[in-house]
Amino acid sequence: MRFGIRTLDEAQLAGKTVLCRVDINQPVDRASGTLKSINRIQACVPTLRELSDKGAKVVVLAHQGSDIEYKNFYTTRPHAQVLSQLLERPVQWIDDVCGPAAREKIAALKDGEILLLDNVRFVAEEQTLFEMKLRLTHEQQAKTLLVEKLAPLADLYVCDAFAAAHRDQPSLCGFEQVLPSYMGRLFEKEFCTVSQVMESPDRPCVFVLGGAKISDAFLMMQTVLERGVADQILTGGLVANIFLAALGKSIGQGSVDFIMKSNYGEYIGKAAALYDQFGGKITLPEDLAWVCGGERQEASLEQIPGDIAAVDIGSRTVETYRQAILNAKTVFVNGPMGVFEQSPSEYGTQAVWQALADTQGFTVLGGGDSITATEKYGLTEQMGYICTGGGALIRFLSGEELPVVKALRHGAAIG
Ligand code: ADP
Ligand code: MG
């Protein structure tokens, strides 16, 4: 047991049918039917290999969104092929989730065999719960079709989907009500790593927060500042622009328009309040960059032209941030410093990411775009820990008990 959840060390697996929920939701190229990235598939391989090696009949449940999350589902068929290559053993797949065909295939599994079911979000209950805010309790989730049809075929449930741990859905929270439940190796590793950052980080503990998911960023900042987890927050991206606007600094009309257009106007007031309370710990850019005629331009805050849109932090800010990161013992990172997808506005992100790679401190990084930037600059091996979860990680750091953690604690008492 760790954190009130059973680990695989305690599981009797030989000959048992295991339902294993993973998060292998990856960007998909719909035209060619291929996956643009496989990092999450790689991350759950150790758990699946262990289950199979120990003689379990492994039934893998997963979801796959698409370019527009929750509007556009895609089959898990390509994932089976990638999994099979990574595991160096066959991975069966079926175009069914919990119907008779899937159940027949599950019942026919032999020890050590692995079957990936199709996208669990093809079952309406799985996504309408979230989308329509039906808000079924965990007991009610245990009565959904998915759980009622699959649980009787299984001996135990393993959740390795830390990246989806903030989702309150039957495939994630329903099985724990009726089956003995365990966390997989990836879940265990991610949960322990982020718990350590939250509970007793080596200090100084510096947060690097950029990007564009403003509501998440503000929720997390509030918590880590109130609890004294963060000694310093280095801001970039849209997060920084909102603070600067809140302090009445000129960031260019283009930046202000972007904030308003994104419906983040209310955060200007929130930023002002947060800065009033914790200003000493929140570091804002000294200079910003924008793009003019395809060229990068920079100026200190006092000299920003009135009409520009700031799309990156400036090079003086980069230097300040670099020193803070090099001096830190723990660095938590979420969100790029600028629009790193385009070359005139990628300098801030690239240089700060290089500092993350260079520091002796332990770096924990999460978020889809933050991971993309890490891969783009070839720094994956030099980060301390790359968390597969974005939303889950942020909600965890916001102090919430994640629904899946709650369910797994419940499931630890069964069987
Ligand atoms: P993550 O996926 O790592 O959690 P986010 O999704 O919050 O990060 O933010 C990433 C996005 O933020 C990128 O697409 C990037 O282009 C955008 N971004 C960064 N800085 C700015 C900025 N100053 N103005 C507008 N968009 C920005
Ligand atoms: Mg993102």
Side-chain angles (χ1 to χ4, degrees), residues 176-338:
E176 291 95 326
Q177 313 309 312
V178 289
L179 288 175
S181 303
Y182 301 77
M183 58 182 164
R185 296 302 182 191
L186 175 65
F187 198 110
E188 183 181 349
K189 193 162 139 195
E190 308 224 288
F191 193 33
C192 289
T193 304
V194 296
S195 296
Q196 161 72 21
V197 170
M198 196 64 176
E199 276 152 32
S200 52
D202 287 339
R203 295 187 184 276
C205 175
V206 172
F207 277 58
V208 180
L209 297 184
K213 284 200 298 283
I214 298 306
S215 53
D216 283 353
F218 274 79
L219 200 66
M220 177 167 56
M221 274 191 281
Q222 184 82 38
T223 310
V224 298
L225 287 167
E226 272 170 6
R227 294 193 182 181
V229 176
D231 296 308
Q232 187 179 14
I233 295 182
L234 307 173
T235 60
L238 213 51
V239 177
N241 288 358
I242 288 175
F243 272 107
L244 292 170
L247 300 186
K249 307 279 184 192
S250 63
I251 54 172
Q253 192 57 40
S255 309
V256 176
D257 291 347
F258 188 85
I259 293 169
M260 294 308 175
K261 192 181 79 193
S262 313
N263 283 326
Y264 289 142
E266 59 171 307
Y267 285 96
I268 295 179
K270 289 186 182 165
L274 203 58
Y275 198 86
D276 261 354
Q277 209 182 343
F278 298 108
K281 291 185 170 179
I282 300 172
T283 307
L284 305 180
E286 305 150 45
D287 52 357
L288 295 170
W290 66 96
V291 180
C292 180
E295 297 282 319
R296 179 187 178 91
Q297 316 252 332
E298 285 191 8
S300 58
L301 287 183
E302 303 72 45
Q303 279 146 4
I304 302 280
D307 54 344
I308 61 101
V311 286
D312 195 11
I313 57 174
S315 33
R316 281 204 350 249
T317 304
V318 164
E319 216 20 69
T320 306
Y321 286 10
R322 183 176 164 81
Q323 285 312 318
I325 291 167
L326 292 179
N327 292 333
K329 291 269 170 32
T330 307
V331 192
F332 174 83
V333 194
N334 183 250
M337 297 292 98

Side-chain angles (χ1 to χ4, degrees), residues 211-213 334-336 341 367-370:
K213 284 200 298 283
N334 183 250
E341 295 92 339
D369 293 288
S370 302

Side-chain angles (χ1 to χ4, degrees), residues 94-169:
I94 187 162
D95 59 344
D96 187 15
V97 182
C98 59
R103 297 194 318 260
E104 200 172 304
K105 200 133 176 108
I106 292 169
L109 284 175
K110 298 197 179 66
D111 294 359
E113 287 186 346
I114 302 170
L115 166 69
L116 174 63
L117 302 173
D118 212 343
N119 193 343
V120 288
R121 283 190 188 166
F122 289 160
V123 181
E125 292 156 330
E126 183 74 7
Q127 27 99 14
T128 47
L129 285 182
F130 192 80
E131 173 101 294
M132 317 297 279
K133 302 229 184 314
L134 266 181
R135 295 243 155 267
L136 293 191
T137 63
H138 288 179
E139 292 75 34
Q140 289 167 332
Q141 288 180 34
K143 303 272 180 250
T144 56
L145 185 77
L146 182 77
V147 179
E148 292 221 306
K149 293 294 177 191
L150 295 187
L153 299 175
D155 299 295
L156 47 104
Y157 174 79
V158 173
C159 186
D160 211 23
F162 185 76
H166 58 307
R167 305 215 187 273
D168 209 338
Q169 299 174 348

